[in-house]
Amino acid sequence: SQVRVKWGAIARDAQVRVFDAAGKLIQQKEVSGMGETSLNLTQLPQGVYTVQLRADGLIGTQMLIKQ
């Protein structure tokens, strides 16, 4: 399973993190200047995850349900 994460063009460097339902960090990816990246979640079991994007001093989160 691939998940695409997008953010605005103002972000130069960004960090994408994926947490499980218990808040444990499962995956982390540093990205720079692309405005978009893909995460490979194939190895993760079904469940609820939180995807966090940190860019330009801001933090955004989105819930993800993998079925």
Side-chain angles (χ1 to χ4, degrees):
S1 299
Q2 292 283 327
V3 173
R4 192 168 60 187
V5 179
K6 290 182 165 185
W7 58 92
I10 60 168
R12 291 182 196 94
D13 297 320
Q15 182 182 68
V16 180
R17 294 175 166 182
V18 180
F19 298 90
D20 67 11
K24 180 181 175 188
L25 180 63
I26 300 297
Q27 191 175 112
Q28 181 171 307
K29 186 174 187 179
E30 302 286 333
V31 292
S32 120
M34 296 184 294
E36 181 178 323
T37 192
S38 292
L39 300 173
N40 184 348
L41 305 180
T42 304
Q43 77 283 5
L44 298 180
Q46 292 181 350
V48 178
Y49 298 91
T50 301
V51 178
Q52 180 186 78
L53 174 68
R54 294 174 166 239
D56 291 341
L58 301 173
I59 300 172
T61 58
Q62 184 70 45
M63 185 177 290
L64 169 73
I65 299 173
K66 182 176 178 188
Q67 298 182 337

